[in-house]
Amino acid sequence: MDYKTYLKTEIQRLLFIETGRDITLNIKGNPVLKKGEYPVFPDSIIGLAVKEEDGIPVNSIVDAMIHLIACDPSFKYNDDYKGFLKTIPGIESFIIMNIERDKKEKTKRAVIYATTLTALNPNREYRMNRIYLLMELYEKTGLKCVEDEILKSLRDLAEDYPSYGTPNYYLGQYYLEKDMDSAKLYLRKALNDPITYNEASKLLERIKRTEEYDSAVELVKSGRGMEALKILIPYIEDNPQGLDAIYYAAVAYRQIGNYEKALLYLNELLQYGERPEVYSEIGINLAALGDFSQAIEHFRRALKITPDDSGIICNIAVCHLNLGEIEEAKRAFSLATRINPKDEIAKEWLEKLKEV
């Protein structure tokens, strides 16, 4: 369902009444309801005979016009209806009052009123307030069509008011987890508005740290631990709950031979739950320190979580070799090849151990 269809469900019950002459309404400003067809909701005309001025359900006509303008923008009489609404003194205040009344319990109705308000007066504040209401509606409904309308409205507003930071900020925020380049583009535009400068700066700094973190992970994966730590340590100081960052820092410390520091980081991670890669990394560090028995114990803990990891089994086998436990090593290497026939390391070791 698209957004237009979603809105049109609100006007399916509309009826039209026809006035045979121009009627001057007995309300403030004495606006004239010209001869023509006007929408009403059926509940408002039950029992009414629309013959005299006093019988015209003015409030219902105004309400129906507001709904029709918002829910069917291409309706043939909308320009006439907008022209009539503009002749009513205080119409904007009336619409805003209805928005405030309905925004919590009847958010869709509030959006409809806000949409017509922007049709009558498309200033940027009214348009942004409508978007805020759409955001509330999306939180309540989760409808994709509402999300699409929010994005379209934000883009249109940002295009019409290039120096207006608020729509650019929200667009940047939206794209943070979806398209980093788009996020940066919109947030840089938001820097031009003093109102959004500080928050946009914070998000851009967050993006910078994330990009630096990603580069640090690549450095670790390529074995350049010292370079990675220059990025990871400040990142962890700013994000002490960044468990993945702590893990990669531990790997980086192991790469530069600081096994004790690596183990400090890894043992800290165990406070947050069991992770096979953490147990395995502890095993590697313990083996590097010569504590092969404890290394085997931690490799086995990792293996309980990921029993088909031939790499962990090979590490166990190597530890048995270092302990002089040749038969245990052979069994472990054999198991690794059964699990992963393409494990060249295990096959190579089995060949070496045939005559031992």
Side-chain angles (χ1 to χ4, degrees), residues 104-123:
K104 295 299 182 185
E105 301 298 327
K106 299 178 181 178
T107 310
K108 186 177 182 181
R109 177 182 166 88
V111 167
I112 288 169
Y113 265 69
T115 300
T116 294
L117 181 61
T118 62
L120 298 176
N121 182 356
N123 70 50

Side-chain angles (χ1 to χ4, degrees), residues 15-19 33-39 61 64-66 68-70 72-85 120:
L15 301 176
F16 286 84
I17 59 174
E18 186 173 354
T19 60
L33 197 64
K34 294 184 178 181
K35 176 182 177 180
E37 295 181 6
Y38 294 95
I61 289 176
M65 283 182 179
I66 289 170
L68 197 52
I69 291 166
D72 189 0
S74 61
F75 185 70
K76 59 183 178 180
Y77 296 135
N78 274 357
D79 286 342
D80 294 335
Y81 296 161
K82 283 187 277 189
F84 169 72
L85 290 176
L120 298 176

Side-chain angles (χ1 to χ4, degrees), residues 13 56 59 74 85 92 102 125 159 165 167 270 272 301 305 309 315 322 348 353:
R13 295 172 56 250
I56 296 292
N59 288 339
S74 61
L85 290 176
E92 291 185 17
D102 293 335
E125 285 75 20
E159 184 177 342
L270 289 179
Y272 300 96
R301 290 178 184 175
I305 304 171
D309 191 323
N315 286 338
N322 280 280
E348 184 179 336
L353 294 172

Side-chain angles (χ1 to χ4, degrees), residues 8 30-31 34 71 101 103 134 173 198 201 210 270 272 353:
K8 281 188 175 180
N30 300 120
K34 294 184 178 181
C71 300
R101 182 195 65 196
K103 66 182 182 181
L134 282 166
Q173 191 178 53
N198 287 338
S201 297
T210 299
L270 289 179
Y272 300 96
L353 294 172

Side-chain angles (χ1 to χ4, degrees), residues 88-155:
I88 301 176
I91 186 62
E92 291 185 17
S93 297
F94 169 78
I95 292 175
I96 291 170
M97 179 185 69
N98 277 270
I99 292 170
E100 290 299 313
R101 182 195 65 196
D102 293 335
K103 66 182 182 181
K104 295 299 182 185
E105 301 298 327
K106 299 178 181 178
T107 310
K108 186 177 182 181
R109 177 182 166 88
V111 167
I112 288 169
Y113 265 69
T115 300
T116 294
L117 181 61
T118 62
L120 298 176
N121 182 356
N123 70 50
R124 70 182 199 179
E125 285 75 20
Y126 285 170
R127 290 169 68 180
M128 193 63 227
N129 285 334
R130 171 181 171 270
I131 293 170
Y132 289 138
L133 289 168
L134 282 166
M135 290 176 179
E136 287 189 36
L137 184 61
Y138 178 67
E139 284 186 12
K140 291 181 178 180
T141 65
L143 289 172
K144 179 66 166 57
C145 66
V146 176
E147 181 185 25
D148 292 342
E149 180 64 17
I150 292 169
L151 291 174
K152 178 182 180 300
S153 301
L154 284 170
R155 291 191 193 105

